[in-house]
Amino acid sequence: MADPTTPSKVAFYSSVIPGLGQAYIGKAWKIPFIYAALGASIYYYDLNNKEMNSYRTAYKRRLNGFFDDEYLELARPITTEQLLLGMEFHKNYRDIAIALAALTYMLNIIDANVSAHLLQFNVNEDLSLSPNIIINNDITGFQIALKF
């Protein structure tokens, strides 16, 4: 791939559909990792968002005088102050999950761009490094040969 516009094209493809740029340059093995990271981030966002809303609803109901939430039925009931702490806890982890999803999306684009750039480098049999150990009765040594 000697086309100089390929890295920007691949980055655009990956920005439209995550993993499409990797598929375009033949690095499709990276796609499951991209979707696993995005899926895990979205899953944990959803999980923490539901928990935060559950804590918030129970807190608001207790402030209005209703003490019928599921947190009172536990072996160690959760106090009203602990509901606030739980709500903050899940809010923080929800926000972290969104940040990780955004980071994964950006890394997907950067990876596609860098991989496309690296495909443009000349790597063939003429470029090699071959170590050679010399063991002779007269001389003992180590030789490194670079071929361009």
Side-chain angles (χ1 to χ4, degrees):
M1 261 191 213
D3 184 12
T5 61
T6 301
S8 60
K9 187 187 305 184
V10 168
F12 174 73
Y13 288 165
S14 278
S15 66
V16 173
I17 299 175
L20 185 61
Q22 283 81 356
Y24 180 75
I25 60 173
K27 306 264 183 183
W29 63 270
K30 296 178 181 181
I31 296 173
F33 296 106
I34 294 167
Y35 281 101
L38 285 173
S41 298
I42 292 169
Y43 170 78
Y44 283 110
Y45 169 81
D46 185 51
L47 177 73
N48 284 302
N49 194 44
K50 285 178 183 174
E51 286 295 318
M52 182 197 71
N53 287 332
S54 175
Y55 276 90
R56 182 185 323 169
T57 302
Y59 178 73
K60 286 180 178 181
R61 288 185 58 79
R62 284 192 192 176
L63 288 181
N64 289 324
F66 298 102
F67 292 90
D68 58 351
D69 56 79
E70 71 267 18
Y71 300 108
L72 290 172
E73 299 169 3
L74 300 174
R76 287 184 61 194
I78 296 177
T79 65
T80 306
E81 292 79 25
Q82 288 173 329
L83 285 174
L84 265 179
L85 292 174
M87 188 176 69
E88 282 298 316
F89 174 84
H90 289 290
K91 180 183 177 289
N92 289 338
Y93 278 95
R94 180 198 66 176
D95 295 346
I96 289 171
I98 269 299
L100 288 176
L103 180 67
T104 301
Y105 179 74
M106 288 185 289
L107 285 176
N108 154 60
I109 297 169
I110 292 169
D111 174 67
N113 191 315
V114 169
S115 294
H117 271 292
L118 291 176
L119 286 177
Q120 294 179 350
F121 284 102
N122 180 14
V123 179
N124 57 27
E125 294 298 321
D126 294 337
L127 299 173
S128 64
L129 173 71
S130 56
N132 185 15
I133 298 174
I134 303 168
I135 299 175
N136 193 340
N137 290 337
D138 298 331
I139 317 170
T140 302
F142 184 75
Q143 174 185 11
I144 296 177
L146 295 171
K147 295 180 185 176
F148 293 100

